[in-house]
Amino acid sequence: MILFILLALLVIAGYIFMQQPQFGRQPSGARLELIKKSPNYRDEKFQNESFTPDLAEGSSYSKVLIKFFFGKSKYNTPPATIPSQKTDLLHLDPSENVLVWFGHSSYFMQIDGKTFLVDPVFSGSASPVYFTTPSFKGTDRYAVEDFPAIDYLMISHDHWDHLDYQTILKLKSKVKKVVTGLGTGEHFEYWGYNPKIIIEKDWYQEADLGDGFKVNVTPGRHFSGRALSRNKAIWVSFALQTPTMKIFIGGDSGYDKHFKTIGEKFGPFDLALLECGQYNEAWKYIHMMPEEIVTAAHELKATKLMPVHWSKFSLALHDWNEPIQRATIEARKQNMPLVTPMIGQKVNLKGDNVFTEWWKEVALQPQ
């Protein structure tokens, strides 16, 4: 009887916890009716283009959980502070074309006079339970107060490490437009954003932003969801075209045929930003291996590749710096130039840059 009561209390506590606004809200009303018309929405959820199991053949949730709690590398988190720089984003020359990375999949771009902010997470955590997925020491150099007005806030999907409730609330007064995938706008409306500034698109739909700027929303091979229900909003990548550049913003994705299709439709790209971390053979269909991002960059017809989705949070089992080490080796094999800035370092998008292998400077032994 006592066990039953404790279990009931636990269920009630969990339900109450998940009613918090940070979990967002599932699409409803006119938005849901529009979603139902999507060719990518079947059986009451969005589907990947290719069959995509949660786990690879031979894997199971029990095996994954055991490895997650007992099989992580001893260097899964950095043994020392991550080095970084602090760029004054509030006083950039308007004529500069720059990119500044904040670790993981968050970065700022100023291109042809417009500002873009992608998947910002500045709360210090990538989880609804703060202490479970804290950011690495040294990676929280930037706060919302460090940013100018944002012309376009671009959100690839609604996972916690890409759509951060605290950050989104603080950004509200700075954001002019939100660009995201179909369904994700429900979270923004629930959190108080004006529906008129939200642009939601399905795969292979275009948004003309005016003044020579446009974005094509393109596929990924992944999933979505902030609570127990999955795939009620679509996960996306972006083919961004400005008056003088083309940038591919990858979001999260396993390797698949869509990279070649996107390259043929919208390439070549001056730069491709692709996820390079939090992978494992057990979930290889939803996160690329580092070697695969180099192949994908070639298929996208990218001139340069910037690996992201690493160096801030531990969401997998590998060494914290293994993603960039493996990607660097493969990029040399495939002759793909890499863009590897330190967190906060200003990258000149139209000129020369000097990048060090700064991850090698982090101490190999705990301090």
Side-chain angles (χ1 to χ4, degrees):
M1 184 64 179
I2 294 176
L3 181 62
F4 175 79
I5 293 172
L6 290 174
L7 182 61
L9 290 173
L10 184 62
V11 170
I12 292 170
Y15 175 80
I16 293 173
F17 177 70
M18 293 181 67
Q19 302 312 302
Q20 296 180 93
Q22 63 178 323
F23 284 90
R25 188 171 64 189
Q26 291 187 20
S28 60
R31 177 177 282 109
L32 180 57
E33 293 307 309
L34 180 61
I35 285 173
K36 289 179 178 179
K37 296 178 182 178
S38 168
N40 304 303
Y41 190 82
R42 300 181 299 278
D43 300 326
E44 299 186 351
K45 61 183 179 180
F46 283 103
Q47 307 278 353
N48 282 294
E49 291 183 311
S50 299
F51 173 66
T52 304
D54 293 339
L55 296 176
E57 300 80 1
S59 299
S60 68
Y61 284 107
S62 59
K63 290 180 181 178
V64 168
L65 285 173
I66 291 171
K67 287 185 178 180
F68 194 82
F69 287 108
F70 304 107
K72 287 184 179 180
S73 160
K74 63 180 179 179
Y75 297 122
N76 185 246
T77 58
T81 300
I82 297 288
S84 63
Q85 297 179 6
K86 190 69 178 285
T87 297
D88 185 357
L89 302 175
L90 294 171
H91 298 96
L92 291 173
D93 184 331
S95 66
E96 286 186 286
N97 294 281
V98 299
L99 180 150
V100 178
W101 178 54
F102 311 112
H104 206 64
S105 294
S106 304
Y107 44 96
F108 168 90
M109 296 184 292
Q110 178 179 278
I111 310 175
D112 296 332
K114 298 288 187 181
T115 56
F116 302 83
L117 183 59
V118 178
D119 289 357
V121 179
F122 302 127
S123 67
S125 176
S127 166
V129 182
Y130 185 85
F131 63 86
T132 59
T133 316
S135 53
F136 297 158
K137 186 178 179 180
T139 61
D140 291 322
R141 288 295 302 274
Y142 289 80
V144 169
E145 293 74 23
D146 295 318
F147 289 88
I150 302 299
D151 291 305
Y152 300 102
L153 173 62
M154 307 183 76
I155 302 295
S156 63
H157 62 299
D158 67 0
H159 282 161
W160 296 90
D161 58 322
H162 294 260
L163 180 61
D164 181 60
Y165 173 67
Q166 292 184 33
T167 302
I168 295 303
L169 287 189
K170 292 179 180 179
L171 279 169
K172 195 182 303 182
S173 64
K174 292 179 179 280
V175 173
K176 297 179 182 179
K177 292 284 185 182
V178 178
V179 184
T180 189
L182 193 59
T184 304
E186 188 78 30
H187 298 311
F188 281 88
E189 286 193 39
Y190 181 47
W191 296 336
Y193 274 65
N194 185 341
K196 293 182 180 179
I197 74 167
I198 301 171
I199 300 171
E200 290 175 90
K201 296 292 181 180
D202 204 348
W203 291 340
Y204 296 116
Q205 290 184 342
E206 179 183 299
D208 188 341
L209 307 179
D211 301 320
F213 292 82
K214 66 179 179 180
V215 61
N216 283 276
V217 172
T218 46
R221 191 183 189 188
H222 198 57
F223 65 104
S224 68
R226 296 177 71 79
L228 299 179
S229 296
R230 282 188 171 192
N231 302 347
K232 300 301 182 180
I234 202 167
W235 47 100
V236 303
S237 55
F238 302 99
L240 173 65
Q241 182 173 333
T242 79
T244 64
M245 298 196 77
K246 285 185 179 181
I247 307 288
F248 181 74
I249 298 168
D252 279 2
S253 180
Y255 181 75
D256 203 10
K257 61 186 179 181
H258 63 281
F259 291 112
K260 185 175 182 180
T261 301
I262 293 167
E264 291 171 348
K265 283 180 174 286
F266 307 113
F269 292 98
D270 299 287
L271 175 66
L273 296 109
L274 294 172
E275 62 134 335
C276 178
Q278 322 320 317
Y279 52 81
N280 189 278
E281 285 291 337
W283 54 86
K284 64 181 180 179
Y285 294 119
I286 55 174
H287 284 292
M288 284 187 282
M289 301 293 153
E291 294 77 14
E292 290 177 317
I293 75 165
V294 182
T295 300
H298 278 295
E299 292 181 344
L300 288 164
K301 302 180 181 179
T303 301
K304 296 178 181 180
L305 166 64
M306 181 170 165
V308 297
H309 208 248
W310 71 286
S311 191
K312 189 165 185 174
F313 301 113
S314 170
L315 301 170
L317 312 178
H318 53 67
D319 287 2
W320 76 273
N321 58 0
E322 182 186 289
I324 194 63
Q325 292 175 334
R326 288 175 58 175
T328 299
I329 293 170
E330 188 65 21
R332 289 172 181 156
K333 289 180 181 178
Q334 295 197 36
N335 194 29
M336 171 58 67
L338 288 188
V339 175
T340 57
M342 191 180 297
I343 288 176
Q345 179 181 353
K346 184 165 67 173
V347 177
N348 185 346
L349 288 171
K350 292 190 176 181
D352 296 327
N353 296 276
V354 176
F355 304 115
T356 64
E357 293 185 331
W358 57 265
W359 51 91
K360 294 183 177 180
E361 299 171 11
V362 179
L364 296 178
Q365 298 297 328
Q367 295 182 345

